[in-house]
Amino acid sequence: MNKRMMLAALLLVSVVMAVFGTDFEERISKKSWYRDYFNEVVYRKDRNILVEHQPRLKEPYSDIDPSFAEITYWFDDAGRYWDRINCHKWDDSEYGCYIRIGMGGFRYKANKVAPDLYKLELEDVRISQKEYEELLERGHDRRFALDATEPGYSLYFRFDGEYLYIYLEDGKTLHETYCAYDESEEKALQEAIRTNEFDMTKITLPRHGDGTCDYESGRGVPGKKIVDGLYRAKENLRLRETGSTSGKAITTMQANTCVKILSLGKEETIDGITDNWVQVETQFGANDTEGKLIHGEVGWCFGGYLK
């Protein structure tokens, strides 16, 4: 091999290392990452929102773990309701790192495919029907893991400021979203959930990489709905194919269904309320009026019926 070829080979190796080298563990360990619905808890100053997303919290603690029978209420033990990401080195094997996402974990190896995008190749993603149901009760729909026929699987992690988006193997389907809390904010959050009293001088709601926040002033004000903001249906609410009362109904969301606004439509006055029609995506835990899961359903609804 001549010097020119050797130089080209070394350059190729350096490029590959630059693309596929990873600082994933360092980035994810700098702060604590909690599921995005904790933002709703803080914004609305209501710890009971957690129960909507984690149905198992309704069960007495002693039914789950008799050794903790002295703990009467779920909010007295952060270990019961926390829903965050942990990551650590396991061993020196190919899949030598371990990541715990909520209540389930995987051994993995990470590749950096862009400045803020990482591909985590999981060693074995498969779970049993029992594990699936238990995770579902804790707020995690791991259908992709239940349906997996092969052990290997990949998840994509995209950092956006204080947001972390997890996508399924297709790289397009959003699986879960987490948000960053530093050490002092995490302590304040847990204390706020324990007492249901929120000191907003100690907790700041997360911002995206461009500096914007989903909870800026104007959120929830008629006619001023915010794209990417999270809202809830005030009552059972139809989801339509188009932004109009004449639009074909897709489904009817249960009251308190959480939705994310994707875009704004025309302004209209309905029942004396003036607001925009909004295109929304139903968030995790969404159900129709018959109790069927409609997580990820996209359609239009009248913004005046969102809170």
Side-chain angles (χ1 to χ4, degrees):
M1 182 181 293
N2 59 38
K3 290 184 178 180
R4 182 173 294 180
M5 291 179 65
M6 288 181 64
L7 181 61
L10 288 171
L11 180 60
L12 177 60
V13 170
S14 66
V15 170
V16 170
M17 289 299 292
V19 173
F20 292 103
T22 176
D23 57 348
F24 176 77
E25 291 78 19
E26 179 184 355
R27 292 188 70 171
I28 207 164
S29 298
K30 283 183 177 179
K31 293 189 176 183
S32 295
W33 297 88
Y34 280 81
R35 279 285 289 281
D36 55 346
Y37 56 73
F38 279 81
N39 299 337
E40 287 292 298
V41 173
V42 173
Y43 181 79
R44 300 185 185 281
K45 300 179 181 179
D46 182 5
R47 67 188 175 197
N48 291 310
I49 289 173
L50 292 181
V51 181
E52 298 176 20
H53 292 273
Q54 299 187 41
R56 200 174 186 185
L57 294 180
K58 299 174 185 177
E59 302 175 24
Y61 208 132
S62 57
D63 288 356
I64 298 173
D65 189 343
S67 64
F68 288 94
E70 72 277 7
I71 301 177
T72 306
Y73 303 108
W74 62 265
F75 46 77
D76 286 329
D77 178 17
R80 175 142 187 228
Y81 62 76
W82 79 336
D83 190 349
R84 49 173 290 194
I85 294 175
N86 293 100
C87 187
H88 65 269
K89 179 82 174 202
W90 187 281
D91 55 38
D92 293 324
S93 65
E94 182 181 11
Y95 294 91
C97 292
Y98 184 84
I99 188 165
R100 186 173 179 85
I101 307 171
M103 302 299 172
F106 312 96
R107 287 170 63 102
Y108 74 91
K109 60 179 178 180
N111 294 320
K112 187 173 184 177
V113 296
D116 293 310
L117 181 65
Y118 299 80
K119 178 182 179 181
L120 267 64
E121 297 179 26
L122 310 181
E123 183 179 37
D124 193 342
V125 72
R126 296 168 298 179
I127 59 175
S128 66
Q129 180 68 36
K130 181 180 179 181
E131 289 173 313
Y132 171 75
E133 292 173 359
E134 289 178 348
L135 286 167
L136 199 61
E137 280 295 300
R138 294 178 179 272
H140 295 270
D141 189 348
R142 297 279 167 80
R143 171 60 63 177
F144 73 93
L146 179 65
D147 293 342
T149 56
E150 300 292 333
Y153 194 89
S154 294
L155 293 175
Y156 288 86
F157 286 64
R158 181 171 69 85
F159 290 90
D160 174 21
E162 295 173 321
Y163 282 78
L164 174 60
Y165 300 100
I166 303 176
Y167 295 87
L168 298 185
E169 194 166 51
D170 61 10
K172 299 178 181 179
T173 304
L174 181 61
H175 174 52
E176 291 176 348
T177 302
Y178 285 79
C179 295
Y181 287 77
D182 63 27
E183 185 177 357
S184 62
E185 288 175 328
E186 182 178 31
K187 290 180 180 178
L189 173 65
Q190 293 178 358
E191 178 63 15
I193 292 172
R194 187 183 69 80
T195 62
N196 213 26
E197 296 177 1
F198 293 78
D199 183 349
M200 297 306 293
T201 66
K202 296 181 178 180
I203 307 174
T204 58
L205 288 162
R207 290 186 176 275
H208 297 280
D210 61 4
T212 59
C213 176
D214 292 342
Y215 301 87
E216 296 287 359
S217 60
R219 182 181 184 280
V221 178
K224 293 186 178 180
K225 294 293 187 294
I226 294 178
V227 174
D228 288 337
L230 298 175
Y231 295 81
R232 290 183 180 276
K234 294 180 181 178
E235 55 194 50
N236 292 346
L237 181 60
R238 287 190 182 91
L239 197 62
R240 301 180 182 275
E241 290 185 351
T242 59
S244 166
T245 53
S246 62
K248 182 179 178 180
I250 299 173
T251 186
T252 301
M253 303 179 289
Q254 284 186 359
N256 288 316
T257 294
C258 185
V259 299
K260 178 180 181 180
I261 291 183
L262 303 178
S263 63
L264 302 180
K266 67 179 181 180
E267 185 177 283
E268 191 171 345
T269 300
I270 299 177
D271 293 335
I273 304 171
T274 301
D275 209 325
N276 293 87
W277 281 86
V278 290
Q279 185 187 39
V280 301
E281 179 183 37
T282 58
Q283 301 300 289
F284 181 81
N287 291 277
D288 64 15
T289 51
E290 296 180 353
K292 178 184 176 182
L293 283 172
I294 54 172
H295 170 221
E297 193 77 61
V298 174
W300 291 81
C301 65
F302 182 57
Y305 297 143
L306 298 176
K307 60 183 179 180

